[in-house]
């Protein structure tokens, strides 16, 4: 069991390997995503049990729009289903839902569903689930820079006013603490344009398993790994 006194406040996850999981079984990629959605359910539940305050999931990247149309559609359908099914549960478990990314690029139906659940769960405090959708870290940073530049051009701030705190307040993640632990599945050692600003000090745990195989026990082990490193760091 992990030490419940040192649970990471914010865990961010790059859910990688759905396609390879399906390929290994001779299944279409969408079956990998479907199985991956089960891992999302289990990992969310486990985070609540552990007392994690924020869980951010990289559910769809800005680059994912370039995948075959059928796969994009399958992913959007899965997301719609997840949101529709999860709405009640989120409410019951007092989970607040947030989303970051270029949400205006999502299909109108998905966007409407997302907005509705975000509004409905806005006051919940048990945990915050952040879905990164149509998300790209560089795009987020560019948008923040543009917003500051617009203020500077309008004369409401000067370049000297810009510091890390002001910059972070213009990111989509404003108000969300930085992740303490970043988990990536399927063994890849890449950040892939995820939360580039926010992971500056995060511990990174790479897990070999494909995302659909990543379940309760794997999350607990990743937290234990985080705690081992965290303690060593704290002792220095
Ligand atoms: C990476 O696997 C995963 C994704 C592109 C999307 C993640 C989506 C889900 C887990 C399901 C739906 C999400 C929610 C929130 C219900 P990949 O396709 O890149 O795998 P590969 O690298 O093996 O090809």
């Amino acid at each position: 069991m992990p030490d419940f006194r040192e649970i990471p406040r914010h865990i961010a996850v790059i859910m990688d390997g759905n396609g390879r999981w399906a390929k290994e079984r001779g299944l279409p990629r969408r079956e990998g995503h479907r199985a991956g959605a089960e891992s999302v359910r289990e990992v969310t539940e486990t985070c609540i049990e552990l007392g994690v305050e924020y869980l951010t999931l990289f559910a769809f990247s800005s680059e994912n729009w370039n995948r075959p149309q059928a796969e994009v559609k399958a992913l959007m359908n899965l997301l719609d289903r997840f949101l529709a099914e999860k709405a009640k549960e989120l409410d019951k478990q007092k989970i607040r839902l947030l989303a970051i990314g270029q949400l205006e690029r999502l299909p109108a139906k998905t966007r409407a569903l997302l907005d509705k659940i975000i509004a409905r769960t806005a006051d919940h405090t048990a945990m915050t689930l952040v879905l990164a959708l149509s998300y790209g870290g560089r795009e987020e940073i560019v948008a923040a820079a543009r917003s500051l530049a617009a203020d500077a051009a309008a004369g409401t701030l000067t370049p000297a006013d810009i510091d890390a705190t002001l910059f972070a307040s213009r990111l989509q993640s404003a108000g969300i603490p930085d992740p303490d632990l970043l988990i990536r599945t399927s063994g890849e050692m890449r950040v892939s344009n995820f939360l580039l600003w926010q992971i500056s000090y995060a511990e990174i745990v790479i897990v070999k398993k494909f995302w659909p195989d990543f379940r309760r026990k794997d999350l607990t082990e990743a937290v234990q790994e985080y705690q081992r490193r965290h303690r060593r760091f704290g002792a220095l």
Side-chain angles (χ1 to χ4, degrees), residues 54-100:
Y54 295 83
L55 171 65
T56 299
L57 300 174
F58 203 2
F60 195 88
S61 73
S62 19
E63 290 82 16
N64 285 157
W65 292 114
N66 301 324
R67 292 197 177 184
Q69 233 189 332
E71 186 174 347
V72 170
K73 210 166 160 223
L75 276 166
M76 290 300 145
N77 284 342
L78 255 182
L79 182 64
D80 287 350
R81 223 174 55 205
F82 175 83
L83 290 172
E85 282 171 12
K86 203 80 184 151
K88 259 200 202 123
E89 223 177 295
L90 292 174
D91 223 10
K92 211 170 84 193
Q93 295 179 302
K94 300 282 173 247
I95 300 174
R96 173 171 68 142
L97 184 73
L98 292 178
I100 54 171

Side-chain angles (χ1 to χ4, degrees), residues 112-133:
L113 200 54
L114 196 59
D115 286 345
K116 202 171 92 185
I117 305 176
I118 289 173
R120 185 165 146 187
T121 62
D123 296 328
H124 290 348
T125 52
M127 187 181 87
T128 300
L129 174 63
V130 186
L131 294 181
L133 293 165

Side-chain angles (χ1 to χ4, degrees), residues 101-102 104 135-151 166-173:
Q102 295 175 317
E104 63 284 356
Y135 176 84
R138 284 187 175 177
E139 288 80 351
E140 184 189 29
I141 290 170
V142 167
R146 201 175 281 147
S147 124
L148 290 167
D151 284 0
L166 182 62
F167 200 94
S169 75
R170 300 295 174 99
L171 295 169
Q172 292 159 343
S173 61

